[in-house]
Amino acid sequence: MRVENDMTNETWGRVREILREEVGQNNYRNWIEPLEFAELEAGVATFLVPTNFMGNWVERNFGDKILRRMIELGEKVSRLVFVVAETGRAKPAAAKAANGAAPAAARARAESEELPGAPLDPRFTFDSFVVGKPNQLAHAAARRVAEGGPVTFNPLFLYGGVGLGKTHLMHAIAWEIQARNPELRVVYLSAEQFMYRFVQALREKQMMDFKHLFRSVDVLMVDDVQFIAGKDSTQEEFFHTFNALVDQNKQIIISADRAPGEIKDLEDRIKSRLQSGLVVDLHPTDYELRLGILQTKVARYREQYPDLVIADGVLEFLAHRISTNVRVLEGALMRLFAFASLVGQEITLEKAQDALSDILRASDRKVTVEEIQRKVAEHYNIRMSDMIGPKRQRSIARPRQVAMYLAKTMTTRSLPDIGRRFGGRDHTTVMHGVRRIDELKVGDTQLAEDLEMLRRSLEE
Ligand SMILES: Nc1ncnc2c1ncn2[C@@H]1O[C@H](COP(=O)(O)OP(=O)(O)OP(=O)(O)O)[C@@H](O)[C@H]1O
């Protein structure tokens, strides 16, 4: 037994190192590092965790990964068990959590109480949320709710496509409320977790406890509520919880991937309840917001790694080329950071394109140069033949440059290739055109708007 445990301790050390790479530094610090390996007996590996919630969370989110890696390293393990450590043994996750972005009191509280919620991500605060046109309203509403005061919007319903910041905003609200009012019981969880807890309570005949727990919170936040569509008894319970809390004037915040009315298989009475407060959506990101997010993240990263050098134009290129989903954008940036730290060199546009070729391909909208030319010609009311013809007067040349610019930023075509498609022009002419538009758009808001509008309609 002793020998086996020593071996496993060593394996666990190696598994942790692999997971550090796999799940990222923040996840690692929050969830993996605080785990304490206890023993491996009869195929069951036991870990000590600071709280039940943490155990559940790790099991659900990282259990498979841990198990797989242990097996790969030769351990005879078939199951993981997470046991709450006696006080003072394992350290609470949040006390060691990432960059200190979240208020310390709130962190301590979130960990210390057995509320029925999921842990909050310390990175998701208002501080780290970049505001732009597409998310302005959602952000303002979230701020208002987080500031407390009389409950005016109930529920606050946030919706939007994948990776646009719904979860981030919800966590930010939770952190802020807890920082302002540490005595409030704020519970954040996904609709899936709500169902999981509900089913567990049913199975273990603890419905009274379940009801009591959920009705005793001050702020309830349920993420991805579309998940309960079609799940009748969970919907029913959710409806009752919702009503009980609203009756007590407790704040409810809900998110989903679409507007309440568009969630299929959701009971009408729930739809109408969800619509009864404030419904705001997070629009797909635009170029400016994407660039803002990239710049903010690079600035943060540089605080830790001042040696990072990213050439001019790289972030602009990414903001142009990567889809509206912020998660993909972040993934690309993380890859660049990793790349930079490995090769220790400046990240040029070329290197970025190289390192991110798969991501760029995946988010390639496959717009053709010809489509761009047509769209631009239509927009500026010039003929296609003029777009590729020799005329040089400004009323023709400027739209042509706009089209060249869009061709360069929206397709993977090289400059000579683009030149060929513009009536056999030289690549330096294309380069000049692209640069000219790049310069002009800074001071010329009309041009900037035209570009955005054209891009959007080409992306559709
Ligand atoms: N405006 C923003 N500023 C900074 N980071 C952002 C912003 N919007 C999104 N992000 C980041 O993008 C990632 C995805 O965001 P989040 O998980 O909140 O998306 P979501 O809308 O909940 O997506 P899903 O529908 O997949 O649940 C997160 O890491 C988040 O921090």
Side-chain angles (χ1 to χ4, degrees), residues 124 128-130 135 161-168 224 289 293 297 326-327 330:
F124 293 175
S128 61
F129 191 80
V130 182
N135 59 24
V162 175
L164 295 182
K166 300 180 292 292
T167 302
H168 188 137
D224 289 323
L289 178 58
I293 291 173
K297 294 198 186 283
V326 182
R327 199 172 288 125
E330 281 184 334

mmCIF file of all heavy atoms in Angstrom, residues 124 128-130 135 161-168 224 289 293 297 326-327 330, ligand 1:
data_model
loop_
_atom_site.group_PDB
_atom_site.id
_atom_site.type_symbol
_atom_site.label_atom_id
_atom_site.label_comp_id
_atom_site.label_asym_id
_atom_site.label_seq_id
_atom_site.Cartn_x
_atom_site.Cartn_y
_atom_site.Cartn_z
ATOM 1 N N PHE A 124 -13.597 36.675 -14.317
ATOM 2 C CA PHE A 124 -14.777 37.301 -14.905
ATOM 3 C C PHE A 124 -15.314 38.418 -14.017
ATOM 4 O O PHE A 124 -16.241 38.212 -13.227
ATOM 5 C CB PHE A 124 -15.874 36.254 -15.141
ATOM 6 C CG PHE A 124 -15.534 35.231 -16.184
ATOM 7 C CD1 PHE A 124 -16.397 34.163 -16.434
ATOM 8 C CD2 PHE A 124 -14.380 35.319 -16.943
ATOM 9 C CE1 PHE A 124 -16.100 33.211 -17.406
ATOM 10 C CE2 PHE A 124 -14.070 34.371 -17.908
ATOM 11 C CZ PHE A 124 -14.928 33.319 -18.135
ATOM 12 N N SER A 128 -12.520 43.381 -16.101
ATOM 13 C CA SER A 128 -11.919 42.741 -17.269
ATOM 14 C C SER A 128 -12.896 42.649 -18.439
ATOM 15 O O SER A 128 -12.588 42.059 -19.467
ATOM 16 C CB SER A 128 -11.404 41.343 -16.902
ATOM 17 O OG SER A 128 -12.471 40.546 -16.466
ATOM 18 N N PHE A 129 -14.065 43.220 -18.281
ATOM 19 C CA PHE A 129 -15.061 43.160 -19.367
ATOM 20 C C PHE A 129 -14.919 44.398 -20.248
ATOM 21 O O PHE A 129 -15.019 45.526 -19.776
ATOM 22 C CB PHE A 129 -16.472 43.084 -18.781
ATOM 23 C CG PHE A 129 -17.522 42.755 -19.810
ATOM 24 C CD1 PHE A 129 -17.721 41.443 -20.224
ATOM 25 C CD2 PHE A 129 -18.304 43.750 -20.371
ATOM 26 C CE1 PHE A 129 -18.687 41.134 -21.183
ATOM 27 C CE2 PHE A 129 -19.268 43.455 -21.329
ATOM 28 C CZ PHE A 129 -19.462 42.135 -21.731
ATOM 29 N N VAL A 130 -14.679 44.192 -21.515
ATOM 30 C CA VAL A 130 -14.484 45.321 -22.429
ATOM 31 C C VAL A 130 -15.843 45.699 -23.044
ATOM 32 O O VAL A 130 -16.541 44.847 -23.577
ATOM 33 C CB VAL A 130 -13.476 44.963 -23.549
ATOM 34 C CG1 VAL A 130 -13.245 46.147 -24.474
ATOM 35 C CG2 VAL A 130 -12.166 44.492 -22.935
ATOM 36 N N ASN A 135 -22.286 45.348 -26.803
ATOM 37 C CA ASN A 135 -22.652 44.839 -25.476
ATOM 38 C C ASN A 135 -22.945 45.941 -24.463
ATOM 39 O O ASN A 135 -23.084 45.685 -23.267
ATOM 40 C CB ASN A 135 -21.557 43.906 -24.935
ATOM 41 C CG ASN A 135 -20.208 44.605 -24.828
ATOM 42 O OD1 ASN A 135 -20.139 45.824 -24.728
ATOM 43 N ND2 ASN A 135 -19.142 43.839 -24.853
ATOM 44 N N GLY A 161 -25.378 34.948 -28.598
ATOM 45 C CA GLY A 161 -24.753 33.752 -29.175
ATOM 46 C C GLY A 161 -23.594 33.236 -28.331
ATOM 47 O O GLY A 161 -23.230 33.820 -27.315
ATOM 48 N N VAL A 162 -23.034 32.167 -28.810
ATOM 49 C CA VAL A 162 -21.946 31.482 -28.096
ATOM 50 C C VAL A 162 -20.736 32.389 -27.894
ATOM 51 O O VAL A 162 -20.309 33.074 -28.819
ATOM 52 C CB VAL A 162 -21.505 30.246 -28.920
ATOM 53 C CG1 VAL A 162 -20.301 29.565 -28.292
ATOM 54 C CG2 VAL A 162 -22.660 29.289 -29.058
ATOM 55 N N GLY A 163 -20.230 32.383 -26.672
ATOM 56 C CA GLY A 163 -18.957 33.056 -26.394
ATOM 57 C C GLY A 163 -18.993 34.567 -26.488
ATOM 58 O O GLY A 163 -17.980 35.204 -26.772
ATOM 59 N N LEU A 164 -20.141 35.161 -26.221
ATOM 60 C CA LEU A 164 -20.205 36.629 -26.333
ATOM 61 C C LEU A 164 -20.154 37.322 -24.972
ATOM 62 O O LEU A 164 -20.276 38.538 -24.892
ATOM 63 C CB LEU A 164 -21.471 37.052 -27.086
ATOM 64 C CG LEU A 164 -21.530 36.614 -28.552
ATOM 65 C CD1 LEU A 164 -22.801 37.116 -29.214
ATOM 66 C CD2 LEU A 164 -20.310 37.121 -29.322
ATOM 67 N N GLY A 165 -20.000 36.565 -23.906
ATOM 68 C CA GLY A 165 -19.775 37.198 -22.609
ATOM 69 C C GLY A 165 -20.921 37.113 -21.613
ATOM 70 O O GLY A 165 -20.928 37.827 -20.617
ATOM 71 N N LYS A 166 -21.880 36.214 -21.840
ATOM 72 C CA LYS A 166 -23.002 36.120 -20.902
ATOM 73 C C LYS A 166 -22.523 35.640 -19.529
ATOM 74 O O LYS A 166 -22.833 36.244 -18.500
ATOM 75 C CB LYS A 166 -24.072 35.142 -21.427
ATOM 76 C CG LYS A 166 -24.645 35.543 -22.767
ATOM 77 C CD LYS A 166 -25.686 34.558 -23.244
ATOM 78 C CE LYS A 166 -25.150 33.188 -23.596
ATOM 79 N NZ LYS A 166 -24.283 33.147 -24.791
ATOM 80 N N THR A 167 -21.764 34.570 -19.553
ATOM 81 C CA THR A 167 -21.278 34.028 -18.283
ATOM 82 C C THR A 167 -20.357 35.033 -17.598
ATOM 83 O O THR A 167 -20.417 35.230 -16.383
ATOM 84 C CB THR A 167 -20.535 32.695 -18.545
ATOM 85 O OG1 THR A 167 -21.457 31.815 -19.182
ATOM 86 C CG2 THR A 167 -20.036 32.077 -17.266
ATOM 87 N N HIS A 168 -19.532 35.668 -18.391
ATOM 88 C CA HIS A 168 -18.616 36.664 -17.843
ATOM 89 C C HIS A 168 -19.411 37.749 -17.102
ATOM 90 O O HIS A 168 -19.111 38.085 -15.954
ATOM 91 C CB HIS A 168 -17.802 37.272 -18.990
ATOM 92 C CG HIS A 168 -16.696 38.167 -18.536
ATOM 93 N ND1 HIS A 168 -15.441 38.145 -19.087
ATOM 94 C CD2 HIS A 168 -16.640 39.130 -17.576
ATOM 95 C CE1 HIS A 168 -14.678 39.044 -18.489
ATOM 96 N NE2 HIS A 168 -15.388 39.674 -17.579
ATOM 97 N N ASP A 224 -27.560 29.743 -19.004
ATOM 98 C CA ASP A 224 -27.963 28.793 -20.062
ATOM 99 C C ASP A 224 -29.304 28.136 -19.787
ATOM 100 O O ASP A 224 -29.433 26.905 -19.825
ATOM 101 C CB ASP A 224 -26.883 27.710 -20.247
ATOM 102 C CG ASP A 224 -25.629 28.274 -20.890
ATOM 103 O OD1 ASP A 224 -25.766 29.143 -21.776
ATOM 104 O OD2 ASP A 224 -24.521 27.884 -20.500
ATOM 105 N N LEU A 289 -14.831 46.244 -31.043
ATOM 106 C CA LEU A 289 -14.892 45.527 -29.768
ATOM 107 C C LEU A 289 -13.850 44.407 -29.737
ATOM 108 O O LEU A 289 -13.140 44.220 -28.753
ATOM 109 C CB LEU A 289 -16.300 44.966 -29.532
ATOM 110 C CG LEU A 289 -16.476 44.157 -28.243
ATOM 111 C CD1 LEU A 289 -16.123 44.977 -27.008
ATOM 112 C CD2 LEU A 289 -17.906 43.651 -28.115
ATOM 113 N N ILE A 293 -10.872 44.120 -27.052
ATOM 114 C CA ILE A 293 -10.669 42.943 -26.191
ATOM 115 C C ILE A 293 -9.234 42.439 -26.340
ATOM 116 O O ILE A 293 -8.548 42.174 -25.353
ATOM 117 C CB ILE A 293 -11.688 41.833 -26.544
ATOM 118 C CG1 ILE A 293 -13.094 42.275 -26.126
ATOM 119 C CG2 ILE A 293 -11.313 40.519 -25.877
ATOM 120 C CD1 ILE A 293 -14.214 41.349 -26.574
ATOM 121 N N LYS A 297 -6.393 42.410 -23.379
ATOM 122 C CA LYS A 297 -5.790 41.155 -22.924
ATOM 123 C C LYS A 297 -4.269 41.180 -23.094
ATOM 124 O O LYS A 297 -3.546 40.661 -22.248
ATOM 125 C CB LYS A 297 -6.411 39.962 -23.641
ATOM 126 C CG LYS A 297 -7.877 39.817 -23.232
ATOM 127 C CD LYS A 297 -8.480 38.495 -23.522
ATOM 128 C CE LYS A 297 -9.958 38.482 -23.211
ATOM 129 N NZ LYS A 297 -10.298 38.383 -21.806
ATOM 130 N N VAL A 326 -15.870 35.520 -28.939
ATOM 131 C CA VAL A 326 -14.707 36.010 -28.186
ATOM 132 C C VAL A 326 -13.841 34.859 -27.683
ATOM 133 O O VAL A 326 -12.631 34.981 -27.554
ATOM 134 C CB VAL A 326 -15.157 36.875 -26.995
ATOM 135 C CG1 VAL A 326 -13.964 37.432 -26.249
ATOM 136 C CG2 VAL A 326 -16.046 38.009 -27.473
ATOM 137 N N ARG A 327 -14.470 33.721 -27.435
ATOM 138 C CA ARG A 327 -13.701 32.589 -26.928
ATOM 139 C C ARG A 327 -12.655 32.151 -27.960
ATOM 140 O O ARG A 327 -11.520 31.841 -27.612
ATOM 141 C CB ARG A 327 -14.652 31.436 -26.605
ATOM 142 C CG ARG A 327 -14.027 30.431 -25.681
ATOM 143 C CD ARG A 327 -15.017 29.401 -25.208
ATOM 144 N NE ARG A 327 -15.967 29.904 -24.258
ATOM 145 C CZ ARG A 327 -17.293 29.819 -24.410
ATOM 146 N NH1 ARG A 327 -17.797 29.273 -25.482
ATOM 147 N NH2 ARG A 327 -18.085 30.278 -23.485
ATOM 148 N N GLU A 330 -9.861 34.662 -27.933
ATOM 149 C CA GLU A 330 -8.978 34.459 -26.780
ATOM 150 C C GLU A 330 -8.069 33.263 -26.988
ATOM 151 O O GLU A 330 -6.894 33.299 -26.641
ATOM 152 C CB GLU A 330 -9.814 34.181 -25.524
ATOM 153 C CG GLU A 330 -10.400 35.411 -24.918
ATOM 154 C CD GLU A 330 -11.137 35.084 -23.621
ATOM 155 O OE1 GLU A 330 -11.598 33.936 -23.452
ATOM 156 O OE2 GLU A 330 -11.248 35.962 -22.792
HETATM 157 N N1 LIG B 1 -16.604 42.055 -23.672
HETATM 158 C C1 LIG B 1 -15.697 41.172 -23.241
HETATM 159 N N2 LIG B 1 -14.564 41.591 -22.634
HETATM 160 C C2 LIG B 1 -13.629 40.700 -22.219
HETATM 161 N N3 LIG B 1 -13.744 39.371 -22.344
HETATM 162 C C3 LIG B 1 -14.856 38.900 -22.921
HETATM 163 C C4 LIG B 1 -15.889 39.762 -23.393
HETATM 164 N N4 LIG B 1 -16.866 39.011 -23.931
HETATM 165 C C5 LIG B 1 -16.487 37.732 -23.781
HETATM 166 N N5 LIG B 1 -15.272 37.653 -23.180
HETATM 167 C C6 LIG B 1 -14.508 36.434 -22.871
HETATM 168 O O1 LIG B 1 -14.872 35.441 -23.806
HETATM 169 C C7 LIG B 1 -14.957 34.162 -23.206
HETATM 170 C C8 LIG B 1 -16.343 33.595 -23.442
HETATM 171 O O2 LIG B 1 -17.290 34.351 -22.711
HETATM 172 P P1 LIG B 1 -18.486 33.698 -21.884
HETATM 173 O O3 LIG B 1 -18.070 32.348 -21.352
HETATM 174 O O4 LIG B 1 -18.985 34.684 -20.920
HETATM 175 O O5 LIG B 1 -19.501 33.477 -23.076
HETATM 176 P P2 LIG B 1 -20.996 32.988 -23.050
HETATM 177 O O6 LIG B 1 -21.760 34.028 -23.763
HETATM 178 O O7 LIG B 1 -21.413 32.627 -21.683
HETATM 179 O O8 LIG B 1 -20.870 31.713 -23.969
HETATM 180 P P3 LIG B 1 -21.691 30.330 -23.966
HETATM 181 O O9 LIG B 1 -22.910 30.605 -24.774
HETATM 182 O O10 LIG B 1 -20.756 29.401 -24.648
HETATM 183 O O11 LIG B 1 -21.987 29.953 -22.564
HETATM 184 C C9 LIG B 1 -14.657 34.380 -21.728
HETATM 185 O O12 LIG B 1 -13.322 34.041 -21.471
HETATM 186 C C10 LIG B 1 -14.888 35.858 -21.515
HETATM 187 O O13 LIG B 1 -14.052 36.382 -20.504
#
